[in-house]
Amino acid sequence: MYALIMAGGKATRLAMGEKALTRVHDEPLISFVVTAVTKAGLDPVVVVSPLTPYTTNYCRTHAIDWICTDGAGYIEDLRQAVEELSITGPVLTICADLPGISAEHIQTVLEQYFESGLSACSVWTNNQIDGHVLNNYRNELLEKIPGTPVGLNIIRGDMIDKEQEELQIVLDDPFLTVNINTREDIELAEKLLCFSKKS
């Protein structure tokens, strides 16, 4: 099963070059995600674009499979990757800026997804770290339970242009809330990684 790692965006908010190569504890963000999906038994393919040439070079030099899409946007690039790879079954999609992701998270999601028998899956987490609200996103499908989308989903490739019945999974791990959009996010991620290694 493929894991499409989405790494083709501009990352204008971060303003530190290509986001996938932004370093947390001197390790590029994309390496956390590639390691997690590989340990979970999936085949990682990094979805790059003309906007991310250095990420493409990183994939080349580290023997990571990649596909270059047009850079038209997240949904458009995802659709293009699915079509060019001829994916007809389930495919996991994941953002490249999730330093808190682990193989165990992904395996939990896969188990629940396949048990559900549904076509699609989205993953959410609680929206607080030490009482600090990171995001007050509310999902109507979860009956307005507060939560933050993780940036980890499963869809069926043969239904990519159709509405897919979706399983919503909530993982109780606020570290998954942290994706990297600001320098403050990097500092928070480094603190949480230090804490997780000690615990």
Side-chain angles (χ1 to χ4, degrees):
M1 180 175 169
Y2 283 116
L4 298 182
I5 302 171
M6 306 303 291
K10 290 182 179 179
T12 52
R13 282 184 291 175
L14 186 59
M16 292 179 64
E18 296 177 24
K19 187 192 288 191
L21 300 183
T22 300
R23 292 185 172 271
V24 171
H25 283 309
D26 203 32
E27 185 173 347
L29 285 171
I30 196 169
S31 68
F32 293 97
V33 181
V34 169
T35 296
V37 299
T38 302
K39 286 184 176 180
L42 303 182
D43 298 318
V45 177
V46 180
V47 181
V48 296
S49 79
L51 300 170
T52 55
Y54 294 110
T55 302
T56 305
N57 286 337
Y58 178 89
C59 292
R60 283 195 187 104
T61 58
H62 289 81
I64 301 168
D65 289 339
W66 57 275
I67 183 170
C68 188
T69 55
D70 294 336
Y74 187 97
I75 299 300
E76 294 84 357
D77 289 353
L78 174 58
R79 180 183 289 108
Q80 184 179 349
V82 166
E83 290 174 353
E84 292 190 11
L85 291 168
S86 300
I87 299 172
T88 56
V91 56
L92 184 139
T93 68
I94 184 169
C95 296
D97 62 340
L98 299 176
I101 196 68
S102 70
E104 290 74 22
H105 292 133
I106 295 170
Q107 289 166 341
T108 296
V109 169
L110 289 172
E111 289 171 6
Q112 293 188 31
Y113 168 75
F114 285 114
E115 287 174 2
S116 75
L118 298 179
S119 301
C121 171
S122 61
V123 182
W124 306 75
T125 190
N126 44 6
N127 63 352
Q128 293 188 359
I129 294 178
D130 294 333
H132 175 63
V133 177
L134 296 174
N135 188 336
N136 199 29
Y137 189 97
R138 289 177 180 268
N139 176 17
E140 292 180 1
L141 294 175
L142 283 171
E143 299 178 348
K144 297 188 178 180
I145 296 172
T148 300
V150 169
L152 172 65
N153 301 279
I154 301 174
I155 59 170
R156 285 193 59 90
D158 56 355
M159 298 175 64
I160 194 163
D161 290 319
K162 301 177 182 178
E163 185 174 348
Q164 301 188 35
E165 190 175 2
E166 181 182 274
L167 170 71
Q168 291 87 34
I169 297 174
V170 180
L171 297 179
D172 186 20
D173 185 347
F175 194 6
L176 289 174
T177 305
V178 182
N179 60 2
I180 306 300
N181 292 307
T182 66
R183 294 175 187 270
E184 289 76 16
D185 292 337
I186 296 173
E187 293 173 4
L188 178 59
E190 290 183 335
K191 290 177 183 177
L192 290 169
L193 278 172
C194 286
F195 177 78
S196 64
K197 289 177 180 177
K198 292 176 182 177
S199 59

